[in-house]
Amino acid sequence: MNWSVVFFINSFLLGIGLAMDAFSVSLANGLNEPKMKTLRMCLIAGVYGMFQFLMPMAGWICVHTILNIFTSFQKFIPWIALLLLCFIGGKMIFESLKESGEIPSEEKSGFKKLSGTLLLVQGIATSIDALSVGFTIAEYNLLMAFTASLIIAAVTFALCMGALAIGKAAGKNLSKKAEILGGFILILIGIEIFIKNMIE
């Protein structure tokens, strides 16, 4: 593959496809935190974009160095994404029910902010299947692989910012039910990633 308009279009479309999981998770996070500030939105979208950059590059490096190990690891990708997202989604639902009184709780509070640890886990879970992109861009040289990954990251960042804004607006109207809805969205994304990867 040489530098061309097709290269940039392919990278852009690849970015849209890979960003869909991060977009959905961002929507759930926006629902869960309707008073999120713009700087925090940039941080969250930036983390997803960073992982969407790192995973294809890691995949490209693996293809060019330790192909056999990477191929063996690839079958575990859907299981990892499923477990991580189901855990996070289940935790969100549990905490929401706990605060609403359906599960006894000692203290009641408003919306829970997404912790740094959970944000990193979400970033990994929504981008781990992008490791496989290392195979599709294997013919690129290092600079082209870097550029493609950068485009994927930029597209992810833009889509996640939009999703966070939409989620925030909807979260203000849904009030407490937003956290439960967000949890279910995360679980469904985990199942979707799992099924998609198992049938390929």
Side-chain angles (χ1 to χ4, degrees):
M1 169 75 75
N2 297 316
W3 295 98
S4 65
V5 175
V6 174
F7 164 78
F8 288 100
I9 292 173
N10 284 349
S11 299
F12 180 76
L13 293 175
L14 196 55
I16 292 174
L18 289 173
M20 285 302 100
D21 292 330
F23 177 90
S24 301
V25 173
S26 296
L27 193 62
N29 289 334
L31 283 168
N32 186 46
E33 201 177 324
K35 294 182 180 176
M36 190 184 300
K37 297 192 184 309
T38 304
L39 187 61
R40 184 166 169 77
M41 290 169 65
C42 289
L43 172 67
I44 292 171
V47 168
Y48 296 143
M50 176 190 71
F51 277 108
Q52 291 286 17
F53 167 79
L54 291 175
M55 291 297 185
M57 281 305 298
W60 183 89
I61 291 167
C62 287
V63 167
H64 288 268
T65 54
I66 47 175
L67 180 60
N68 291 336
I69 296 173
F70 179 65
T71 304
S72 300
F73 171 75
Q74 196 176 17
K75 62 186 174 189
F76 296 108
I77 289 175
W79 290 98
I80 295 169
L82 176 67
L83 291 173
L84 289 177
L85 289 173
C86 284
F87 169 75
I88 298 167
K91 189 171 183 289
M92 282 174 66
I93 293 168
F94 177 81
E95 287 180 355
S96 180
L97 292 174
K98 186 175 173 184
E99 288 171 9
S100 67
E102 293 181 43
I103 296 175
S105 172
E106 290 180 7
E107 57 179 88
K108 311 250 182 207
S109 60
F111 291 95
K112 289 264 178 131
K113 281 193 173 183
L114 179 68
S115 70
T117 304
L118 280 182
L119 176 58
L120 289 175
V121 171
Q122 286 183 0
I124 293 167
T126 57
S127 64
I128 197 165
D129 58 339
L131 272 170
S132 304
V133 172
F135 281 122
T136 65
I137 63 172
E139 64 187 61
Y140 295 174
N141 60 40
L142 178 59
L143 182 58
M144 290 181 76
F146 182 87
T147 304
S149 298
L150 208 55
I151 292 169
I152 291 167
V155 170
T156 299
F157 179 85
L159 288 175
C160 288
M161 284 295 287
L164 286 164
I166 293 167
K168 272 178 59 179
K172 287 173 185 172
N173 298 324
L174 289 171
S175 187
K176 281 290 182 184
K177 293 177 182 172
E179 193 171 9
I180 296 173
L181 178 60
F184 276 117
I185 288 172
L186 293 183
I187 292 170
L188 289 173
I189 294 166
I191 294 168
E192 183 265 336
I193 292 172
F194 179 77
I195 293 171
K196 179 179 70 180
N197 282 275
M198 293 303 284
I199 62 176
E200 282 179 356

